[in-house]
Amino acid sequence: MEPLFVNRVANSGLVTINLEEFIHPGERVIYDLKDNLFHGLILREKDFREFIKTNDWAQYDGKNVAIICSADAIVPTWAYMLLATKLQNHAHRYVFGNLDALEQSLFEEAIAAIDTEEYRDAKVVVKGCGNVPVPTFAYVAIMQKLLPVTSSIMYGEPCSTVPLYKKPKAASVAG
């Protein structure tokens, strides 16, 4: 007797990618250089270097840090670079920019780590709905990573997808 219901989705060979799984679990914090400005206006090199030497950088262990300066001040580029020398051994990730820039960097890091060979000639569904919002740039980045290797890419849920890409068939060689 044949089964009453056949799960065609399970038998389809589709590979689902859920971008929510690429969200780094580490805490996100902002480091605002305004706190290092003299009278909220200028960065004094001697004072800043002393701060860099004596600050407890362990507070950033494993965290993701967005470096900004919210004050309307001119901060020399080397100051951000010097700050990076201390965050390097503590923070998971640090970027110059706001929390959106940090999030983009974290997604780029996660997507760059994908082994594309796992998706070679696969039919991929990039999951569209979830419990946590995924920024649009992550969807574009996953396309850039997978387009060269997959046979097709769809968006949505395996039971209801929007086709986005299908690898063109190889042109036949006429003799």
Side-chain angles (χ1 to χ4, degrees), residues 41-113:
L41 298 173
I42 61 171
L43 186 77
R44 293 165 78 178
E45 182 177 353
K46 183 179 178 187
D47 295 343
F48 187 60
R49 286 188 179 275
E50 183 61 26
F51 169 78
I52 291 291
K53 269 195 243 174
T54 60
N55 188 50
D56 176 17
W57 296 103
Q59 65 183 306
Y60 296 100
D61 285 350
K63 295 181 182 176
N64 300 295
V65 183
I67 303 168
I68 66 167
C69 183
S70 63
D72 188 19
I74 297 172
V75 177
T77 303
W78 62 260
Y80 297 106
M81 296 168 72
L82 188 58
L83 184 58
T85 67
K86 292 302 182 178
L87 291 172
Q88 177 67 30
N89 295 322
H90 295 281
H92 166 77
R93 190 100 173 146
Y94 57 90
V95 299
F96 174 78
N98 60 19
L99 290 172
D100 289 338
L102 176 61
E103 204 60 42
Q104 182 164 346
S105 179
L106 289 167
F107 266 106
E108 287 170 350
E109 175 185 48
I111 290 170

Side-chain angles (χ1 to χ4, degrees), residues 1-13:
M1 175 181 268
E2 286 189 37
L4 204 48
F5 297 101
V6 176
N7 187 341
R8 293 190 338 216
V9 171
N11 296 333
S12 69

Side-chain angles (χ1 to χ4, degrees), residues 18-21 23 107 127-128 130-139:
N18 181 355
L19 288 176
E20 284 182 6
E21 295 170 3
I23 297 173
F107 266 106
K127 188 173 178 187
N131 299 321
V132 180
V134 174
T136 303
F137 63 76
Y139 290 98

